[in-house]
Structures are given as structure tokens and as C-alpha cells.
């Protein structure tokens, strides 16, 4: 039996976040953009595998969003 989780996160620039996450996504993940939301569906054969992949994805989203925000702050601060 396949286990599935769909995660929806809201971002100012979901395309940029999706691009940042792309290299770490696996074949078991499918990401789309719906307005300001990044929608990622993860399918795994085991509950443990699904949990691990979801955990990794959430960390990656957090890091990507943090780096994007820091870069924007740095760029804005240095150009004023």
C-alpha cells in the first residue's frame, strides 16, 4: 500500500522556493505551484519512509525560505 502526504506552504515567491528545493526532491515527490502556494505530494511505500521524506522536505523548505529572506535583506541593505 502506498502512503501519501500533501504539503501546502505559502510563499512570497513560490517559484523561487521550488527552484531551490528541486535538486533535493526525489522521484517520489511531485511539486506544483498554486497561486502563492507550493504544493508537494510525497508518495512512499512505508510509513517510516514517508515520515523521513516529509521531515527532510520541511527542513529544506525552512532553510530555503530563510536563505531567500536573508539574501533579500542583505541585498536591500547593501543597495540603500
Amino acid at each position: 500500500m502506498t502512503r501519501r502526504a500533501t504539503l501546502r506552504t505559502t510563499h512570497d515567491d513560490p517559484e523561487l522556493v521550488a527552484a531551490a528545493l528541486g535538486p533535493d526532491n526525489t522521484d517520489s515527490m511531485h511539486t506544483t505551484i498554486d497561486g502563492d502556494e507550493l504544493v508537494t505530494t510525497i508518495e512512499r511505500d512505508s510509513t517510516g519512509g514517508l515520515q523521513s521524506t516529509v521531515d527532510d522536505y520541511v527542513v529544506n523548505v525552512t532553510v530555503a525560505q530563510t536563505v531567500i529572506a536573508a539574501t533579500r535583506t542583505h541585498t536591500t541593505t547593501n543597495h540603500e
Side-chain angles (χ1 to χ4, degrees):
M1 172 161 64
T2 301
R3 277 79 171 163
R4 179 180 303 132
T6 300
L7 297 100
R8 299 177 81 85
T9 54
T10 304
H11 306 276
D12 291 336
D13 191 346
E15 293 86 1
L16 185 58
V17 177
L21 296 174
D24 288 325
N25 286 354
T26 66
D27 292 340
S28 66
M29 304 166 80
H30 177 72
T31 300
T32 59
I33 296 168
D34 182 12
D36 63 351
E37 290 186 329
L38 194 62
V39 182
T40 300
T41 300
I42 302 168
E43 293 184 351
R44 296 291 304 267
D45 291 332
S46 69
T47 302
L50 179 63
Q51 181 178 357
S52 291
T53 304
V54 168
D55 287 346
D56 289 347
Y57 179 80
V58 169
V59 169
N60 291 345
V61 167
T62 302
V63 170
Q65 190 61 50
T66 301
V67 169
I68 291 166
T71 301
R72 286 187 174 149
T73 299
H74 179 74
T75 302
T76 302
T77 302
N78 286 332
H79 286 104
E80 289 181 351

